[in-house]
Amino acid sequence: MKHLRSIDELGRDGLVRLLDLTNHMVEVNRRPVPKVPALRGRTVVSLFFEDSTRTRLSFETAAKRLSADTMTFSVSTSSVNKGESLRDTVETITDMGVDAFVVRHKSTGIPWQISNWTNASVVNAGDGWHQHPTQALVDCFTVREALGKERFDGLTITIVGDIKHSRVARSNVTAFNMLGAKVVLVAPPTLLPPDVSHWPVEVSYKLDDVLESTDILYMLRLQSERMSQGHVPNLREYAESYGLDAARVAKLPPHAVIMHPGPMNRGVEMLIDPSSLPNSLIHRQVANGVSVRMAVLFDLLAGESSAANLAQVAS
Ligand code: NCD
């Protein structure tokens, strides 16, 4: 694997390979000193043109735990502010000698463009509404860990909220489907993509109708910064129909688990204190973010000596 830009590009076998590799990284992260020399001498640059807390920090932590060198590009203090183009920025950084770009950008397709301008690997950390493959890996790994299942056959995963603007939903639908889950999308019609009839999902406009048959409830935030117009009449009405409160939690089967990729908007989609949720996997999602991104960077950058390095990682 040279790049990780979408779940489709990774494919089912690649998805399972990275989830299996993540087990080794979890083991490394349990050690008193969670650091291995696997990527010594490699350089990973994070190129974030959009805000991020967990994705950016977990990639940087992942690179450091594998002993890679890291460079951080900050748009606000870079020559982008002097009119430098994205292509020139990428070529400049490439000239310094980097092995991987971790890229987040508000436009769809930027990771593919960047891979035409550099010989380094490119990891998509979120492009517009389009893809966020490492979040999908995190979520599949978290479900696997929580339920102890490698295949998701027989599981119903309900994704609720702003599907239209969500790259997480697009990557997760594909990944959950590859592992055999049934996916149900719940949103008002204005927050569903127009082409959703081609997706391998069922659709409902009413959250209360699907809670009883849900095994995994996956909440999304309203991504207002990606909306060009008002897609919801008002936040209070949205919260009433689609927000998670104690009454809705009580309607879930007792074994059901709750997930959210973050950042959460309390009082909108989350009307209950998340720390009081009975079966929340939200903290596990964040914790697994580091291990999953270690697996991705290792897979892309460990190269020919990958098998030997893996033994070193697992020892
Ligand atoms: C998501 C993102 O940026 O796409 N956050 C994340 O990476 N954990 C979801 C969001 O912004 O709502």
Side-chain angles (χ1 to χ4, degrees):
M1 183 169 85
K2 168 80 176 171
H3 306 294
L4 175 59
R5 295 166 297 191
S6 70
I7 290 292
D8 277 319
E9 169 175 78
L10 182 61
R12 208 194 84 82
D13 290 349
L15 175 68
V16 171
R17 185 184 71 246
L18 289 177
L19 295 176
D20 290 341
L21 188 53
T22 301
N23 287 321
H24 295 294
M25 304 305 169
V26 168
E27 191 275 314
V28 169
N29 285 326
R30 281 205 202 105
R31 296 180 192 175
V33 181
K35 193 158 174 141
V36 287
L39 296 186
R40 205 158 45 192
R42 312 271 175 186
T43 302
V44 176
V45 58
S46 35
L47 198 61
F48 277 55
F49 290 89
E50 245 191 30
D51 299 340
S52 171
T53 303
R54 53 219 104 213
T55 305
R56 180 180 191 140
L57 291 179
S58 60
F59 264 114
E60 289 175 4
T61 306
K64 290 190 169 116
R65 290 194 182 168
L66 294 171
S67 304
D69 293 320
T70 53
M71 276 198 246
T72 302
F73 172 89
S74 165
V75 180
S76 59
T77 55
S78 73
S79 290
V80 168
N81 291 331
K82 297 179 184 170
E84 186 161 63
S85 71
L86 177 61
R87 182 175 186 154
D88 288 339
T89 303
V90 168
E91 289 179 353
T92 300
I93 297 171
T94 302
D95 288 343
M96 291 175 194
V98 297
D99 299 286
F101 282 88
V102 177
V103 181
R104 172 170 285 196
H105 199 282
K106 67 175 188 328
S107 302
T108 291
I110 292 292
W112 282 262
Q113 254 182 305
I114 289 182
S115 53
N116 290 326
W117 299 329
T118 180
N119 49 16
S121 291
V122 177
V123 186
N124 184 358
D127 63 324
W129 307 358
H130 182 222
Q131 281 285 305
H132 193 349
T134 61
Q135 183 67 46
L137 282 161
V138 167
D139 296 333
C140 290
F141 186 81
T142 304
V143 171
R144 244 170 73 146
E145 174 191 62
L147 308 189
K149 288 183 185 196
E150 303 216 337
R151 292 275 314 171
F152 298 172
D153 302 82
L155 287 180
T156 299
I157 306 183
T158 302
I159 306 180
V160 186
D162 183 3
I163 316 284
K164 181 176 178 136
H165 303 98
S166 176
R167 53 196 175 209
V168 173
R170 284 173 180 76
S171 287
N172 281 21
V173 163
T174 310
F176 289 152
N177 202 262
M178 280 176 178
L179 295 179
K182 171 176 147 186
V183 180
V184 180
L185 303 181
V186 181
T190 49
L191 290 179
L192 284 168
D195 58 346
V196 81
S197 59
H198 307 298
W199 293 20
V201 295
E202 288 178 15
V203 172
S204 169
Y205 304 126
K206 285 194 74 183
L207 179 56
D208 291 309
D209 287 355
V210 302
L211 289 170
E212 274 174 24
S213 55
T214 291
D215 301 299
I216 296 165
L217 185 65
Y218 195 103
M219 303 300 294
L220 290 173
R221 147 186 100 86
L222 288 176
Q223 291 135 79
S224 330
E225 77 282 8
R226 295 178 205 153
M227 293 183 191
S228 51
Q229 66 209 51
H231 285 74
V232 288
N234 67 57
L235 285 183
R236 194 180 51 76
E237 259 178 55
Y238 176 83
E240 259 169 36
S241 305
Y242 299 99
L244 187 63
D245 60 8
R248 292 201 166 110
V249 171
K251 280 192 192 161
L252 288 166
H255 68 266
V257 294
I258 296 164
M259 303 178 75
H260 194 307
M264 258 182 283
N265 284 165
R266 292 178 191 237
V268 187
E269 80 276 10
M270 200 52 83
L271 303 169
I272 183 171
D273 178 1
S275 63
S276 72
L277 286 172
N279 297 329
S280 163
L281 298 183
I282 298 170
H283 287 290
R284 293 306 309 152
Q285 288 172 276
V286 178
N288 288 332
V290 174
S291 303
V292 162
R293 289 170 178 119
M294 284 169 76
V296 169
L297 293 175
F298 181 88
D299 200 66
L300 290 173
L301 301 181
E304 308 248 303
S305 57
S306 141
N309 274 343
L310 187 57
Q312 193 181 25
V313 166
S315 67

